[in-house]
Amino acid sequence: MKTWELQPRPGFDALTRAERPSQSVGSHEVKVRVRAVSLNYRDLLITRGAEKNLSSPRVPVSDGAGEVLEVGSAVTRWKVGDRVMANFFPHWVDGELSDAHHASALGGSLADGMLREEVVLPEHAWVRIPKGYSFEEAATLPCAGLTAWQALFEVTSLRPGETVLLQGSGGVSVFALQLAKAAGARVLMTSSSADKAARLRELGAEEVIDYRAEAKWGERAKALTGGRGVDLVVDVGGQATFDQSSAALRYGGSMSMLGVLTGARGEVNLGAVFQRRQTVHGVYVGSVSMFERFVAALEHNRIKPVIDRVFSFEDARAAWEHLASAQHLGKVVVSLP
């Protein structure tokens, strides 16, 4: 089968074309013909760190969708021809996340990912594609979509009429915008691009704050609620955005912390968190059970993902370059023939 691999090389030169033998299928396993994958910021980080962190080639990318080619003798959940997506953590079915689940994350330094023609995983690792979704649309869901779902409705519970603050226009934030609007919430967002701000308003954002023009964008968000503060912040930035995220929150508000775009370590103002009784939830993608609830919500609300651009399998490296340019709004996808 054809595949892309990460070699221990610098930069995007780590991405190389290769061929591997087709895998056999165990009794409880399912082989899927991958039809599309989507990229996440994590894929940029892993690729850029390949020279330092990889000792042997790895297939990149966590998110993919396709159709079942073969099932093991004991498989009961799936049949040939079913349209499915792989869960980011293949062995996190339900309950709490664990070290063992972390080790199985697709497309990381310990487990091969989805950017190949065929993937074999246990039957419990697969989730059915929402009705009416293309493979390209389905491929956007396993990481960014499910992360947004957990941030809004699993670790916390966004309610109609509440206000949520979202950051930027990447995959997680755009999914969170769509989900929050479907739930009847008011959505505030940040962006430094006038063009992206206009598009976010078209998608339902009530206000978009230019975080470069307004360094205290969190205080601006609070002012837009009449001084009360927002009910929930989905923070994708990390260290450099934490304080303004906290400043935007009301007393007793919640922050879903899920990104490290500006770094994972550094000085933050914890005083505001405990003085205002704010809660910070760590969010890392989700379990198979969460994914199934997310799929049901997408179908009920008829939400379709926002895809920025689709690249061919042969042109996959260009997809990395496009994502790295930060010019995208929504998801970057690679389609397989």
Side-chain angles (χ1 to χ4, degrees):
M1 63 174 175
K2 296 177 181 179
T3 183
W4 282 84
E5 291 180 338
L6 289 180
Q7 301 281 351
R9 298 174 184 169
F12 293 159
D13 285 340
L15 287 160
T16 58
R17 289 288 300 274
E19 289 191 0
R20 293 189 176 189
S22 182
Q23 294 175 266
S24 60
V25 176
S27 60
H28 289 277
E29 292 181 326
V30 172
K31 179 186 289 187
V32 168
R33 176 67 164 87
V34 181
R35 294 298 186 184
V37 304
S38 74
L39 302 187
N40 298 288
Y41 184 72
R42 171 182 182 259
D43 298 309
L44 293 181
L45 294 178
I46 290 171
T47 302
R48 287 167 172 163
E51 182 180 26
K52 177 181 178 182
N53 299 323
L54 292 182
S55 58
S56 60
R58 282 289 180 202
V59 177
V61 183
S62 60
D63 292 18
E67 55 195 344
V68 174
L69 285 179
E70 184 180 351
V71 299
S73 59
V75 169
T76 58
R77 296 190 64 193
W78 308 108
K79 65 182 184 301
V80 173
D82 283 343
R83 304 169 77 251
V84 295
M85 308 165 288
N87 200 53
F88 180 97
F89 293 112
H91 299 300
W92 187 15
V93 177
D94 205 353
E96 189 52 85
L97 187 60
S98 70
D99 287 342
H101 298 142
H102 268 277
S104 71
L106 296 174
S109 60
L110 299 177
D112 285 327
M114 299 293 293
L115 192 53
R116 45 183 163 158
E117 289 184 313
E118 298 173 2
V119 172
V120 175
L121 290 172
E123 66 173 321
H124 61 242
W126 300 100
V127 174
R128 69 175 178 85
I129 290 175
K131 296 174 183 177
Y133 266 48
S134 67
F135 289 120
E136 288 78 12
E137 290 168 334
T140 70
L141 302 180
C143 184
L146 183 53
T147 298
W149 170 262
Q150 186 186 170
L152 297 179
F153 303 112
E154 297 282 348
V155 295
T156 185
S157 182
L158 186 67
R159 295 179 175 85
E162 292 187 331
T163 301
V164 59
L165 173 63
L166 308 174
Q167 298 170 354
S169 56
V172 173
S173 295
V174 173
F175 268 117
L177 166 60
Q178 294 175 288
L179 291 167
K181 293 302 295 184
R186 180 189 184 202
V187 180
L188 312 179
M189 301 192 75
T190 66
S191 176
S192 63
S193 165
D195 290 341
K196 289 181 179 180
R199 179 70 175 124
L200 293 172
R201 289 189 180 96
E202 290 175 1
L203 291 170
E206 296 194 25
E207 298 284 350
V208 182
I209 305 165
D210 186 335
Y211 63 86
R212 289 184 176 164
E214 298 193 57
K216 295 185 177 180
W217 47 265
E219 294 181 13
R220 172 61 177 158
K222 182 179 179 180
L224 289 171
T225 67
R228 176 178 180 267
V230 304
D231 299 284
L232 172 65
V233 176
V234 178
D235 190 291
V236 301
Q239 180 269 328
T241 56
F242 184 94
D243 286 355
Q244 284 304 306
S245 290
S246 177
L249 278 175
R250 65 171 173 84
Y251 280 81
S254 297
M255 184 191 311
S256 287
M257 170 63 67
L258 53 90
V260 292
L261 296 179
T262 66
R265 296 178 180 272
E267 184 176 338
V268 296
N269 179 15
L270 295 178
V273 175
F274 69 76
Q275 289 170 8
R276 301 177 69 188
R277 296 187 61 252
Q278 296 170 349
T279 302
V280 179
H281 300 276
V283 174
Y284 197 2
V285 198
S287 67
V288 171
S289 295
M290 291 181 196
F291 203 171
E292 290 171 341
R293 291 191 286 272
F294 174 40
V295 167
L298 292 173
E299 291 179 335
H300 178 76
N301 292 286
R302 299 182 180 180
I303 296 172
K304 285 294 190 82
V306 176
I307 294 177
D308 179 83
R309 189 170 169 187
V310 178
F311 292 81
S312 68
F313 181 75
E314 292 73 19
D315 205 23
R317 187 182 293 187
W320 261 259
E321 293 169 348
H322 181 61
L323 187 67
S325 75
Q327 298 303 305
H328 63 291
L329 189 151
K331 295 295 293 180
V332 177
V333 173
V334 176
S335 180
L336 282 73

